[in-house]
Amino acid sequence: IPQGTTFIVTVNYTGRPGVYNDGDGTTEGWFRSNKPVGDGAFVTTEPVGSMAWMPLNNHPSAKPTVDVYDTVNAGKTAISAGELVSTQANPPDANFPGGSVTWHWRSPERVASYLLTNSIGSFDLAQQTVNGIQYYWAVPSSIPGSRKAKDKAVTDQQPDITQFQSQFNGPFPFTSNGVVIGLPSASFAEEMQTKITFPDGFNRTPSADVLSHENMHQWFGDNVSEAAFNLTFWKEGWATVGEYLYAARIAANKAGGPGTATGDAAFDASLISQFNTTYGTTNKSFWTGAPSNPTVMSLFSGSSTYMRPGIAYLALRQI
């Protein structure tokens, strides 16, 4: 192939999507949802679960732009990265006796394979444009209305969290953002690019501090990627700072508000207290293992992957 030539590679692939079991006992990938019967699927894939459902170059530095086309049963919703381009109703055929709909999502920004979601099922999908960013929020249709209301109270905070984080991260790097809540009980919430995923929708309402953590990832880990999986600590440390800043913001609001002397003092005091508490731990195992040299078991270790890098960034802020 001559240098500079444009070419197309077509990969013909057929497979049954599934769940990948990590070496540390956690699970990720394509989770079937059959309660209620025939509900659909929930996809959350960090760090390597994407290979459980699609052929790919599985490395965080491989970041294409992506168009996703899902043809699903009529009445089902397909959700992927970026913005919804179109929905096309199709007549009944042998595969879809009741008819089908083709959903087309496009991510104009480059996305690492492990950050691409593709959940399909019975969802209530809402969208809203705030400050030029298109937000999409999806919750399982089958959960009680009281649970949906609790979920909405949290997800409605995402534009405000994004605006707050933009003050110190710079402009939001994508044209869209959002949350997908799934029914299956995956191991943890994840920062799928522009569609943050929360599992176990029947039993667990997302928390605003975890939403702050995952939303911080849209800058650190999603827009700017780690060079390799062993550097997971780099982006998880920044996301942990997102939680610390969220707590500091609450402290500032209670003390008089941002921009006031008492509010700003409370903001700094919250971060200093967080650093002192974490750094002053008497747990000797907390300091075991270099963050950049994890084992499979410790890739998502709370101390070396999250809290130690997080307080290091707080120290840099103080300096």
Side-chain angles (χ1 to χ4, degrees):
I1 301 172
Q3 183 175 351
T5 300
T6 298
F7 64 97
I8 295 174
V9 175
T10 300
V11 179
N12 292 314
Y13 168 80
T14 299
R16 187 177 182 86
V19 174
Y20 183 85
N21 293 300
D22 289 329
D24 62 357
T26 58
T27 53
E28 49 175 310
W30 186 293
F31 294 83
R32 287 173 165 248
S33 176
N34 204 36
K35 294 181 180 179
V37 174
D39 178 69
F42 174 64
V43 175
T44 187
T45 57
E46 185 185 5
V48 293
S50 295
M51 62 188 182
W53 65 276
M54 68 175 178
L56 73 159
N57 183 358
N58 192 38
H59 195 275
S61 66
K63 298 179 64 174
T65 56
V66 176
D67 281 83
V68 175
Y69 298 85
D70 285 310
T71 300
V72 302
N73 289 307
K76 297 296 182 181
T77 300
I79 306 166
S80 194
E83 297 188 32
L84 180 61
V85 177
S86 64
T87 56
Q88 174 66 51
N90 308 309
D93 58 25
N95 291 320
F96 299 96
S100 64
V101 177
T102 300
W103 295 72
H104 176 197
W105 293 85
R106 172 176 295 155
S107 174
E109 304 92 5
R110 296 170 11 137
V111 53
S113 297
Y114 82 92
L115 295 171
L116 181 65
T117 189
N118 192 30
S119 295
I120 299 169
S122 299
F123 291 102
D124 294 353
L125 179 62
Q127 54 184 331
Q128 181 181 5
T129 300
V130 183
N131 296 323
I133 301 168
Q134 183 68 54
Y135 287 87
Y136 299 88
W137 297 299
V139 298
S141 300
S142 58
I143 65 176
S146 57
R147 172 70 64 180
K148 290 178 183 179
K150 291 180 180 179
D151 293 344
K152 187 176 186 298
V154 176
T155 57
D156 279 355
Q157 298 180 50
Q158 192 176 23
D160 179 63
I161 291 171
T162 301
Q163 182 65 25
F164 171 64
Q165 293 177 339
S166 296
Q167 296 179 47
F168 39 83
N169 290 340
F172 189 69
F174 307 124
T175 59
S176 62
N177 201 7
V179 170
V180 179
I181 299 174
L183 289 176
S185 184
S187 292
F188 31 68
E190 294 181 348
E191 70 272 17
M192 302 294 99
Q193 187 163 306
T194 71
K195 301 293 184 300
I196 294 166
T197 55
F198 289 93
D200 199 13
F202 260 123
N203 302 307
R204 192 189 318 173
T205 290
S207 64
D209 60 334
V210 175
L211 180 57
S212 294
H213 176 108
E214 306 301 347
N215 206 70
M216 190 82 164
H217 270 308
Q218 302 304 307
W219 285 270
F220 298 99
D222 291 28
N223 181 47
V224 181
S225 300
E226 65 275 30
F229 287 118
N230 69 301
L231 302 179
T232 295
F233 78 91
W234 170 81
K235 52 112 175 180
E236 292 298 346
W238 278 117
T240 302
V241 169
E243 293 183 64
Y244 296 160
L245 291 168
Y246 175 79
R249 186 190 191 196
I250 291 176
N253 288 337
K254 289 181 178 179
T260 66
T262 54
D264 291 348
F267 188 92
D268 284 337
S270 174
L271 296 179
I272 292 170
S273 175
Q274 179 65 65
F275 177 88
N276 289 339
T277 299
T278 305
Y279 189 76
T281 181
T282 57
N283 182 355
K284 294 181 179 179
S285 65
F286 185 88
W287 303 104
T288 302
S292 61
N293 188 31
T295 65
V296 172
M297 290 292 291
S298 65
L299 180 61
F300 290 98
S301 165
S303 59
S304 61
T305 305
Y306 294 87
M307 299 183 74
R308 282 164 53 189
I311 62 165
Y313 297 147
L314 290 187
L316 288 172
R317 176 186 180 274
Q318 189 68 15
I319 292 170

